[in-house]
Amino acid sequence: MENQIKNFVLANGYEFTSIENENSLKIIYNAFYSNIIDKVTQFTDSIVYLYYGMYFEINNKYDIAITYYKMSSDLGNSIASLYLGCIYGNKGIEKEMITYLTISANKGNTNAIFKLAEHFYSTKNVSDMEKWYECGVELNDVKCMVNLANYYKKNNIKITRMIELFNKAVNKKSIYAINNLSDYYESINNIELMVKYLKMSAELGYLDSYISLASYYQDIKDYDNIHRWMNNLLTISAYSSTLDLEAAKRGYELCDYHQPDKLTPFSKGGK
């Protein structure tokens, strides 16, 4: 039963929460699969109210969903508080949205933390935006790391902190952070670090990094490394099957450059 419930809620875009109580599991299953709602019993398990809230929200009965989410939130369920904040946000009720997102965030829910930071970014409240992003960073949330770092990068401020945040995300294999550092070091003409991060990106399978590395070696006429990176690229099925058409197009251009005999020809549709 739990797997059926899990598949259902995930398919509808909700976070799955484990249902440990066997009686609660049966009650929730009956709601989702038999449309049976127990309107009498006062549950002490916040999970039942959480899933009842999901059930009614999925069926577009938002006022009833709010009632059950509040019951779950009052019992300390941070996910219910998050979903309440989201409903109020969608309704444009800012005060209630912030109230419930903050309740969830203060319990360590990183999705709520991220939504608060995004809200304060949209309202140009930079101090609260930074406060909540930094809360997420403390909890090792990659989205918070890269979004705050990207804000600093776009505004060319707090560069030391920007680099620290991107590198925290790099340690968690964030391709977005790696590529942003590569772009940054290219912008300040630090070629050694640009190449370092391009190689890291390529190692994680990001196709454009292969192209960028080959282009860089093309510019300095290092034909052995052009050959190496293009050969590496051509071993990747997403490229060789032309799923990445833009990469393929640039690959043709590189294969035409100066010494095409040193480069492996593109396998499909090349000259």
Side-chain angles (χ1 to χ4, degrees):
M1 287 192 290
E2 188 174 47
N3 280 336
Q4 288 175 277
I5 295 169
K6 178 179 180 179
N7 292 336
F8 185 84
V9 298
L10 291 176
N12 281 277
Y14 294 86
E15 181 179 339
F16 174 72
T17 300
S18 180
I19 307 166
E20 296 179 1
N21 184 285
E22 190 67 27
N23 187 49
S24 297
L25 179 61
K26 292 176 182 177
I27 292 167
I28 294 165
Y29 182 87
N30 285 337
F32 278 81
Y33 288 95
S34 300
N35 296 310
I36 298 172
I37 300 295
D38 185 336
K39 298 179 180 179
V40 178
T41 306
Q42 294 294 308
F43 300 106
T44 57
D45 185 355
S46 70
I47 296 295
V48 174
Y49 292 132
L50 171 67
Y51 279 100
Y52 273 12
M54 289 184 203
Y55 170 83
F56 284 107
E57 187 176 7
I58 289 168
N59 287 283
N60 299 317
K61 296 181 178 180
Y62 298 106
D63 290 342
I64 302 176
I66 286 171
T67 298
Y68 282 113
Y69 281 147
K70 282 184 176 180
M71 291 179 178
S72 183
S73 178
D74 289 345
L75 290 171
N77 192 295
S78 70
I79 298 173
S81 303
L82 167 66
Y83 292 162
L84 274 169
C86 291
I87 289 177
Y88 284 122
N90 290 334
K91 287 176 170 285
I93 307 173
E94 182 182 31
K95 182 178 179 181
E96 293 295 298
M97 176 195 75
I98 292 172
T99 295
Y100 282 102
L101 288 181
T102 301
I103 289 171
S104 182
N106 285 337
K107 294 180 182 295
N109 188 301
T110 53
N111 288 323
I113 289 169
F114 183 78
K115 286 182 180 294
L116 280 169
E118 287 287 273
H119 169 72
F120 289 119
Y121 170 78
S122 70
T123 59
K124 302 187 184 334
N125 184 337
V126 175
S127 62
D128 279 344
M129 176 201 75
E130 288 181 301
K131 166 192 166 182
W132 286 110
Y133 274 143
E134 288 289 5
C135 285
V137 171
E138 289 178 12
L139 293 171
N140 293 312
D141 186 80
V142 174
K143 298 192 305 295
C144 289
M145 295 172 193
V146 296
N147 274 33
L148 183 55
N150 196 47
Y151 176 82
Y152 292 148
K153 181 178 177 229
K154 285 182 176 178
N155 291 280
N156 197 30
I157 58 174
K158 300 188 179 181
I159 299 303
T160 299
R161 183 58 177 158
M162 176 201 81
I163 293 170
E164 289 174 352
L165 290 166
F166 275 140
N167 273 311
K168 279 180 176 287
V170 166
N171 290 337
K172 294 186 172 295
K173 307 297 183 184
S174 168
I175 195 72
Y176 184 85
I178 294 168
N179 289 339
N180 267 276
L181 281 172
S182 174
D183 290 343
Y184 170 71
Y185 286 120
E186 181 180 17
S187 74
I188 63 171
N189 204 34
N190 187 329
I191 303 303
E192 181 181 356
L193 286 177
M194 177 198 78
V195 170
K196 170 188 171 181
Y197 286 102
L198 281 175
K199 288 180 178 179
M200 289 176 63
S201 179
E203 287 170 3
L204 292 176
Y206 189 72
L207 297 182
D208 273 6
S209 296
Y210 289 84
I211 301 290
S212 296
L213 282 163
S215 296
Y216 164 68
Y217 288 119
Q218 171 179 295
D219 290 340
I220 64 173
K221 297 180 171 57
D222 183 341
Y223 300 112
D224 287 337
N225 269 312
I226 298 173
H227 181 259
R228 171 192 170 195
W229 286 104
M230 288 305 298
N231 259 346
N232 288 344
L233 179 60
L234 290 167
T235 65
I236 298 175
S237 60
Y239 184 93
S240 60
S241 63
T242 70
L243 292 179
D244 189 334
L245 297 179
E246 183 60 27
K249 177 182 175 183
R250 281 175 283 171
Y252 298 147
E253 293 168 358
L254 283 166
C255 286
D256 288 337
Y257 189 83
H258 286 315
Q259 295 190 15
D261 58 301
K262 295 200 69 175
L263 302 172
T264 303
F266 189 67
S267 60
K268 293 184 180 180
K271 294 183 178 179

